[in-house]
Amino acid sequence: MSAGTVALVVIDDAISMWDMYELGIATAVFGVDHSDLADPWYDLRVVGMRPGTTSSVPGFTCNAPYGLEELERADTVIVPVVPEAYMRGDRDLPRELLDALRRAGAAGARMVSLCNGVFALAAAGLLDGRPATAHWEHTRELAERYPQVLVDDSVLYVDDGDVLTSAGLSGGLDLCLHIVRRDLGARVANQLARRLVVPAHRPGGQAQFVERAVDVTDDGIAPVLHWALEHLDAPLTVEDLAARAGMSVRSFHRNLRAATGTSPMKWLLHQRLARAQQLLETTDLSIEQISERSGLGGANNLRHHFAAHLGVTPTEYRRAFPCPSTDLNRPQRPPRHPVRSAS
């Protein structure tokens, strides 16, 4: 079974150097052949207003061999870039593009935007009454121009089931990896992240405003977090972690939030869910054993957190992403109901 067709929309207009990044990351994730991780990989199709149209920045050109009719045939539609003139409202996005986006959404395609591509989804009415995000520099303008959109300027990305939006630059890469995780499972997404030399999974609810990254040489936070990852099956408390870091609980809270954008307990829960996903995919351990090894207590507690944060049961997750030893290299579609990002 194919991982799906991804239509990458390129608007026939000049784009900025910044925008090349969003185009590049979508291509690196979905357009490069990673079939050694899951075979077959995604089928990426670059779509323009008319087949063969070109967008350009100084020194670069982007050719789009497919036309807008391809959007209705795609499993996933990604709008990575909207030129600034359209974002500011100096010009209206082409009606034929907005109509094509609406038809794709109505046909059941998963609609995705990276950074300011959200303005195209909003203009097409696909975000009315739904949560969405963008780079924090653009969220105020997005909210003013499209008041019917529930704009959140604090998160890295929003997964609302069939419509997903992300903040700029690295937030877009986080969302692309999140999509791989949804489609092909945590094991494949983690391997791809390692190949790209980026964090395996940052939850969508993590703040855009992170003061500093966690560095392996950090004498305060990083060693404690690495230690915690090796002891997730233990009944860890914030007090335990703070004591190990040589900090007061209050100081540990402050330092961890500055480094990760979240609280200690939310960080622990996310890591335990990630461990449970990994064990479900790579072992034949029972649900009870997996719950214990990931530090989530009994099987009922694991089911509760999976339902609350991932929208599926552990059994449904395992069925969607079976252990490679029993179903090697055969990616399966996850359940059709929305999967929420853990936060």
Side-chain angles (χ1 to χ4, degrees):
M1 180 183 294
S2 170
T5 300
V6 175
L8 184 64
V9 179
V10 178
I11 298 175
D12 185 17
D13 206 326
I15 58 177
S16 72
M17 292 292 287
W18 281 104
D19 296 330
M20 290 299 295
Y21 183 85
E22 276 79 13
L23 286 167
I25 62 172
T27 302
V29 171
F30 303 110
V32 174
D33 182 11
H34 299 293
S35 56
D36 58 318
L37 303 182
D39 188 14
W41 194 248
Y42 294 87
D43 178 12
L44 180 72
R45 301 182 179 183
V46 181
V47 172
M49 301 295 296
R50 291 163 298 280
T53 58
T54 301
S55 293
S56 64
V57 296
F60 297 92
T61 60
C62 180
N63 295 315
Y66 294 92
L68 291 175
E69 66 280 357
E70 196 66 31
L71 300 188
E72 292 183 66
R73 294 192 283 265
D75 297 296
T76 301
V77 173
I78 301 178
V79 185
V81 174
V82 172
E84 288 191 15
Y86 299 105
M87 185 178 63
R88 294 192 306 263
D90 296 342
R91 283 186 283 166
D92 292 331
L93 284 161
R95 180 176 297 276
E96 57 265 40
L97 171 63
L98 300 182
D99 288 343
L101 291 173
R102 295 185 190 106
R103 289 193 299 269
R110 176 172 52 190
M111 308 301 291
V112 180
S113 68
L114 308 182
C115 195
N116 64 25
V118 70
F119 283 83
L121 300 188
L126 298 173
L127 299 179
D128 291 359
R130 307 187 73 153
T133 194
H135 190 287
W136 60 267
E137 289 184 328
H138 305 314
T139 47
R140 180 175 180 179
E141 186 170 13
L142 178 66
E144 289 175 350
R145 290 190 59 196
Y146 303 100
Q148 63 274 37
V149 180
L150 308 177
V151 179
D152 187 345
D153 65 359
S154 65
V155 296
L156 292 174
Y157 56 85
V158 174
D159 180 343
D160 197 37
D162 58 346
V163 178
L164 301 89
T165 56
S166 73
L169 299 179
S170 62
L173 180 53
D174 289 323
L175 179 56
C176 289
L177 289 171
H178 172 73
I179 290 171
V180 174
R181 182 176 293 262
R182 271 186 53 171
D183 292 346
L184 301 175
R187 179 180 60 87
V188 172
N190 291 346
Q191 289 175 323
L192 178 58
R194 183 180 182 186
R195 178 168 294 174
L196 298 174
V197 198
V198 295
H201 188 206
R202 292 198 297 173
Q206 182 168 317
Q208 289 189 34
F209 307 100
V210 176
E211 296 177 18
R212 61 185 176 86
V214 178
D215 188 274
V216 293
T217 61
D218 188 321
D219 291 333
I221 293 295
V224 177
L225 300 188
H226 288 302
W227 178 85
L229 290 174
E230 295 175 355
H231 297 83
L232 289 175
D233 57 335
L236 302 176
T237 66
V238 179
E239 288 76 12
D240 293 333
L241 299 178
R244 192 168 189 86
M247 301 178 184
S248 67
V249 170
R250 183 175 180 180
S251 178
F252 184 76
H253 264 277
R254 184 175 62 253
N255 279 273
L256 184 66
R257 184 170 292 278
T260 68
T262 191
S263 68
M265 293 312 295
K266 284 186 176 181
W267 182 87
L268 268 175
L269 176 58
H270 167 65
Q271 301 305 324
R272 283 170 166 157
L273 284 170
R275 176 64 55 80
Q277 288 176 276
Q278 178 187 33
L279 292 173
L280 284 166
E281 290 185 39
T282 60
T283 74
D284 58 359
L285 294 172
S286 69
I287 302 299
E288 187 72 35
Q289 290 172 312
I290 288 173
S291 184
E292 292 174 356
R293 293 194 184 190
S294 57
L296 290 169
N300 287 338
N301 204 34
L302 178 64
R303 294 187 186 99
H304 166 75
H305 286 298
F306 256 64
H309 294 276
L310 300 174
V312 296
T313 67
T315 300
E316 288 173 326
Y317 187 89
R318 170 171 269 171
R319 189 179 299 122
F321 306 113
C323 179
S325 62
T326 59
D327 208 350
L328 186 63
N329 287 330
R330 197 175 76 185
Q332 309 249 335
R333 282 290 185 189
R336 294 291 296 176
H337 40 302
V339 178
R340 295 177 292 277
S341 59
S343 58

